[in-house]
Amino acid sequence: MPNGQRVVLRHYPHGAMQPSDFGIEELSLPDIGAGEFLVRALYVSVDPMLRLFIDPAPLGGKMPPMPLGTTIPGPAVGKVIESNHPDFAVGTIVEGRFGWQHFAVSNGTGVQRVSSKLGSPENALSIGGLPGFTAYVGLEVAGGVKSGQTFLVSGAAGAVGSAAGALIHARGGRAVGIAGGADKCRYLVEEIGYDAAIDRLAPDFLAQLATALPSGADVYFDNVGGAMLASIVPMMARGGLVLICGLMAQYQGEAATSVDHLPDVLRAVMFNSLRIQGFTQVGQDALRPAFEAELVDLVASNRMKVAMHIEDGIERLPQAMAGLFDNSVTGKVVVRVGEI
Ligand SMILES: NC(=O)c1ccc[n+]([C@@H]2O[C@H](COP(=O)([O-])OP(=O)(O)OC[C@H]3O[C@@H](n4cnc5c(N)ncnc54)[C@H](OP(=O)(O)O)[C@@H]3O)[C@@H](O)[C@H]2O)c1
């Protein structure tokens, strides 16, 4: 008997993703074995990097394509509703890679209990989860937030960019954000604590950015890559760090049609003695206790409030995923698929 639904990969996207690249199938309530527990999903995370893994040639062909019909993987928050596991009692709220489905069986690997100190359980997919931790790790890789430094953050109104701005602000740094549209820029300054926010869609975007960076940017926390990187690198302060967190502008293949900006980037790197460094939050679990301690304090004192964009119903997941790339949403995107 089907008891729920799951979202599967129906077609490999070519260029911009379409909701029709995904399909919805019925899902029967799975049985659990010894040492396992059953999770009913509450909130499913929508993450841009998924686009890389559903490509027909993931990571430029370095990985085999995901088989069509696979349940879309990804983080979710859910409630344990049946358990044969000593550490996960029925009723526990947990976060793990449960995928885009109503129910998942787990043996506990990679699963975290969601702390009630986070306020709402969906925060475990935002500031208290992967995006918040990514922002934290990025700032650690940058050597922390030093007095007098200016951080420039692209994709600033997204999940990672919002968390990065809130952390920089809380630590006393100066943060300048880049976002698409006046409303998002207002959100960055009024709700997150960015010192300035520049609209990347404004005709005089680069002139506004130059005004907001009178001494250049010491750290560029880049979530976007693409052509914008080449325009921004010449605005870095001498000895600055270009920190590559993500490449939103390249995930759907835009880079293949753009002009070659590499000579401009290298010129700026050479003449301004810049460093370019990528990083990933994967494998950085040793930083988790310090992250959680700082975060709990910020959330409890209401100094970290990242916007959540919540859609309702599992069938909204494909559209929500496509929406990450069309400038339509602010903050962390999740889909509510069940009630506590
Ligand atoms: N390094 C790691 O370990 C790690 C971990 C998690 C995520 N990431 C990466 O971090 C980045 C941000 O993730 P997220 O979860 O914050 O994503 P998100 O919530 O979807 O936010 C991304 C932001 O990028 C902007 N954007 C989208 N397409 C763009 C384009 N073509 N040009 C310029 N801006 C564009 C959008 O804002 P506007 O339209 O308002 O500008 C959006 O708010 C992604 O690249 C993701 O893959 C890295």
Side-chain angles (χ1 to χ4, degrees), residues 47-49 130-131 134 155 157-161 178-180 184 200 223-224 228 245-249 251 254 279-282 324-325 327 329 331-332:
D47 293 289
M49 228 179 254
L130 183 102
T134 300
V160 175
I178 298 171
K184 291 187 184 188
R200 70 179 173 94
N223 289 304
V224 164
M228 200 161 77
C245 174
L247 302 170
M248 287 300 289
Y251 293 162
E254 289 88 335
F279 78 94
T280 171
Q281 52 79 36
V282 176
L324 294 182
F325 293 89
N327 184 240
V329 288
K332 173 63 195 169

Side-chain angles (χ1 to χ4, degrees), residues 117 170 293-305:
K117 292 179 182 158
E294 182 169 352
L295 182 91
V296 162
D297 185 44
L298 289 174
V299 172
S301 56
N302 221 12
R303 284 183 292 150
M304 198 158 176
K305 285 191 298 182

Side-chain angles (χ1 to χ4, degrees), residues 66-88:
M66 184 184 289
L68 295 177
T70 302
T71 302
I72 299 297
V77 163
K79 185 176 188 174
V80 177
I81 56 168
E82 213 182 311
S83 182
N84 290 331
H85 195 298
D87 300 333
F88 293 94

Side-chain angles (χ1 to χ4, degrees), residues 14-196:
H14 292 274
M17 257 170 314
Q18 305 300 324
S20 56
D21 292 327
F22 302 89
I24 311 262
E25 293 188 353
E26 298 302 318
L27 174 72
S28 299
L29 202 64
D31 293 326
I32 55 169
E36 293 182 331
F37 56 94
L38 180 64
V39 175
R40 181 166 57 75
L42 302 170
Y43 294 92
V44 176
S45 179
V46 184
D47 293 289
M49 228 179 254
L50 172 68
R51 173 63 184 82
L52 294 178
F53 299 107
I54 59 173
D55 200 81
L59 308 182
K62 292 199 179 82
M63 274 177 68
M66 184 184 289
L68 295 177
T70 302
T71 302
I72 299 297
V77 163
K79 185 176 188 174
V80 177
I81 56 168
E82 213 182 311
S83 182
N84 290 331
H85 195 298
D87 300 333
F88 293 94
V90 169
T92 311
I93 305 294
V94 286
E95 183 270 332
R97 296 191 63 83
F98 304 129
W100 290 15
Q101 54 188 347
H102 279 124
F103 300 101
V105 174
S106 172
N107 63 9
T109 304
V111 175
Q112 326 277 337
R113 272 179 208 75
V114 173
S115 166
S116 57
K117 292 179 182 158
L118 282 180
S120 312
E122 65 272 25
N123 282 342
L125 299 174
S126 175
I127 45 174
L130 183 102
F133 188 53
T134 300
Y136 183 90
V137 171
L139 296 183
E140 288 299 301
V141 172
V145 177
K146 299 188 189 79
S147 164
Q149 272 187 330
T150 295
F151 284 74
L152 175 65
V153 182
S154 62
V160 175
S162 297
L167 280 171
I168 295 164
H169 176 70
R171 293 177 184 189
R174 178 169 186 263
V176 175
I178 298 171
D183 287 347
K184 291 187 184 188
C185 288
R186 248 191 311 278
Y187 154 75
L188 291 180
V189 173
E190 291 174 10
E191 293 179 46
I192 295 296
Y194 273 92
D195 296 277

